[in-house]
């Protein structure tokens, strides 16, 4: 039925009025999803949400690794950590842990902590709420099943948090954690010296170090630069009098 000229149908009027409301709602939802990603900027994060840096206390440093477990490289890191009697937090990818569950169990047996990094190394800005929830819960459940321990921490790939990721982490009882300093150890040009110098430049008492124990999302062999830098970084922390350990232990000592 066509309306008489000059007479508006009720549904047309309602749709016209709802247009701006729907547009506003869509913008608000997009902002809620994207705004947390700004915490990937270290300066902004330290200013407004310093807890995302790791939040360990004075005189301590949290040591963390991303992207494993990788049978080619992770055992080398475990050997260096054992040699120096240091424990760390390994943020694992579910897809990597699924392929190497024995290595995941070995990490925990050595006294290290395992956190959630996601199922695959995807930017969560490109993932909706349902997909984000599934990815985090699937990884958390696998970590728990393989290691016998429920993970406490979550670090998003690329350090990019989203509204959906924060909501999923809260429902899964995972604490989001980023870092204070990293070694830029994923690049093709990284060396032991460059990783050591880059980490030291941003490291202080109470800091959280991010390194990578796998090159599954990096330049081939990039993990070797982190491995070469690790003993020197641990020696630097000892000289400063900083106790190095996993996130959970360092945070527990503050209570």
């Amino acid at each position: 039925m066509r309306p008489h000229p000059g007479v508006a149908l009720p549904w047309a009027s309602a749709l016209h009025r709802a247009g701006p409301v729907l547009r506003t709602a869509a913008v608000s939802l997009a902002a809620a999803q994207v705004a947390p990603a700004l915490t990937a900027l270290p300066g902004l994060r330290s200013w407004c949400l310093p807890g995302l840096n790791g939040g360990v206390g004075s005189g301590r440093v949290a040591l963390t690794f991303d992207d494993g477990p990788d049978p080619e490289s992770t055992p080398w890191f475990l050997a260096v950590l054992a040699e120096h009697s240091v424990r760390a937090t390994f943020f694992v990818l579910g897809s990597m842990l699924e392929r190497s569950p024995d290595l995941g169990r070995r990490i925990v047996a050595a006294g290290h902590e395992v956190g959630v990094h996601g199922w695959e190394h995807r930017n969560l800005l490109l993932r909706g709420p349902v997909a984000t929830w599934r990815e985090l819960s699937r990884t958390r459940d696998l970590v728990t099943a393989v290691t016998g321990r429920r993970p406490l921490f979550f670090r998003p790939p690329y350090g990019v948090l989203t509204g959906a990721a924060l909501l999923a982490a809260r429902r899964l009882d995972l604490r989001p954690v980023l870092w204070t300093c990293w070694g830029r150890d994923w690049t093709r040009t990284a060396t032991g010296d460059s990783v050591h110098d880059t980490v030291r430049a941003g490291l202080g008492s109470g800091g959280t170090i991010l390194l990578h124990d796998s090159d599954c999302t990096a330049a081939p062999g990039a993990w070797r630069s982190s491995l070469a830098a690790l003993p020197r970084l641990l020696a630097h922390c000892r000289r400063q009098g900083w106790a190095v350990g996993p996130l959970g232990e360092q945070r527990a000592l503050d209570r």
Side-chain angles (χ1 to χ4, degrees):
M1 179 182 67
R2 297 180 61 186
H4 188 277
V7 178
L9 293 178
W11 61 262
S13 178
L15 183 61
H16 177 74
R17 291 195 304 270
V21 175
L22 291 175
R23 286 194 295 271
T24 301
V27 170
S28 297
L29 287 173
Q33 170 75 345
V34 173
L38 294 175
T39 59
L41 302 173
L44 179 63
R45 179 169 73 243
S46 297
W47 175 66
C48 65
L49 290 170
L52 280 176
N53 285 334
V56 301
S58 177
R60 293 192 287 280
V61 168
L63 177 62
T64 69
F65 297 92
D66 283 6
D67 293 358
D70 190 325
E72 179 182 359
S73 50
T74 302
W76 292 94
F77 289 88
L78 293 177
V80 171
L81 294 172
E83 181 181 349
H84 291 265
S85 300
V86 169
R87 291 176 293 147
T89 299
F90 287 79
F91 284 96
V92 302
L93 293 171
S95 58
M96 296 290 284
L97 181 60
E98 187 177 50
R99 288 193 286 268
S100 302
D102 288 343
L103 185 52
R105 285 187 281 270
R106 180 177 168 187
I107 290 172
V108 171
H112 304 292
E113 180 178 51
V114 176
V116 169
H117 197 35
W119 189 261
E120 294 182 351
H121 206 275
R122 295 189 178 110
N123 189 326
L124 294 179
L125 279 175
L126 307 177
R127 308 287 284 172
V130 174
T132 299
W133 158 261
R134 287 175 177 167
E135 185 158 337
L136 268 60
S137 62
R138 184 183 182 190
T139 307
R140 181 205 61 173
D141 291 348
L142 181 64
V143 169
T144 304
V146 167
T147 69
R149 298 185 183 179
R150 184 179 62 82
L152 302 176
F153 299 100
F154 159 61
R155 174 178 286 156
Y158 307 104
V160 177
L161 282 167
T162 64
L166 289 174
L167 180 60
R170 182 174 181 178
R171 291 176 61 192
L172 294 168
D173 200 21
L174 295 169
R175 179 171 185 134
V177 173
L178 300 183
W179 57 85
T180 304
C181 56
W182 58 10
R184 299 190 66 85
D185 53 350
W186 62 88
T187 64
R188 192 175 301 277
T189 58
T191 64
D193 287 341
S194 72
V195 173
H196 170 266
D197 294 346
T198 303
V199 170
R200 276 197 57 176
L203 182 61
S205 176
T208 298
I209 299 173
L210 162 60
L211 297 173
H212 294 81
D213 63 308
S214 172
D215 62 7
C216 67
T217 63
W223 60 269
R224 297 180 187 278
S225 61
S226 276
L227 185 69
L230 185 55
R232 295 168 59 193
L233 289 172
L234 296 177
H236 170 69
C237 290
R238 282 196 301 271
R239 288 193 297 270
Q240 299 299 317
W242 301 334
V244 181
L247 277 163
E249 176 184 281
Q250 302 294 64
R251 295 181 64 86
L253 292 173
D254 290 332
R255 299 190 184 104

